[in-house]
Amino acid sequence: MTRSISPILAGLGCRCPACGEGPVFKSYLGLAPACTACGADFSNADAGDGPAFFVMFLLGIIIMPPVLLVQALFSPPVWVHALIWTPVITCVAILLLRPFKSLMFALQWTNNAEEAQWGGPTQTGSRSEP
């Protein structure tokens, strides 16, 4: 009986989406060529810019309310905002990027996602010319 691996848990844990045990990364953001536990091939993995987009989007949602609150309460000069929020945004982005990349890879792996193919054969059941 095979065990079902949750792509969410495997992705957020930076573990292999096939077995849930081996590490996905060989370096901070570099994917390993294969899983060290089950041998699953990661050579076709490509999360693209998706993880960076989602991290930036989430950071905008998380960081803007405190920025606006600090501005409304204290009205500090711009350099104070830069001094406070630049390291906060940088640290949170660095912490989130790795699990988001692993999560995107695990979801692609589980759903057998591939790069879009343009100009390929037409699908059956498509509308025909009159």
Side-chain angles (χ1 to χ4, degrees):
M1 179 179 207
T2 59
R3 186 176 78 162
S4 177
I5 305 300
S6 165
I8 307 283
L9 294 177
L12 292 176
C14 300
R15 294 287 163 204
C16 172
C19 69
E21 294 180 20
V24 172
F25 295 105
K26 67 177 178 183
S27 62
Y28 184 70
L29 288 176
L31 291 172
C35 175
T36 56
C38 70
D41 183 22
F42 298 157
S43 62
N44 293 4
D46 182 23
D49 294 333
F53 170 79
F54 287 116
V55 167
M56 288 186 303
F57 187 74
L58 184 63
L59 277 173
I61 293 170
I62 292 171
I63 297 295
M64 282 314 296
V67 169
L68 294 173
L69 185 65
V70 167
Q71 179 62 34
L73 293 176
F74 306 109
S75 297
V78 174
W79 67 267
V80 173
H81 281 294
L83 190 66
I84 294 171
W85 302 114
T86 300
V88 170
I89 291 169
T90 303
C91 290
V92 174
I94 289 171
L95 290 173
L96 290 179
L97 198 52
R98 186 177 166 116
F100 268 66
K101 183 171 183 174
S102 178
L103 176 62
M104 291 284 292
F105 168 64
L107 289 171
Q108 288 174 343
W109 178 277
T110 302
N111 295 302
N112 296 320
E114 295 179 355
E115 187 175 339
Q117 302 290 323
W118 298 99
T122 59
Q123 296 176 351
T124 57
S126 63
R127 194 173 74 180
S128 60
E129 296 286 327

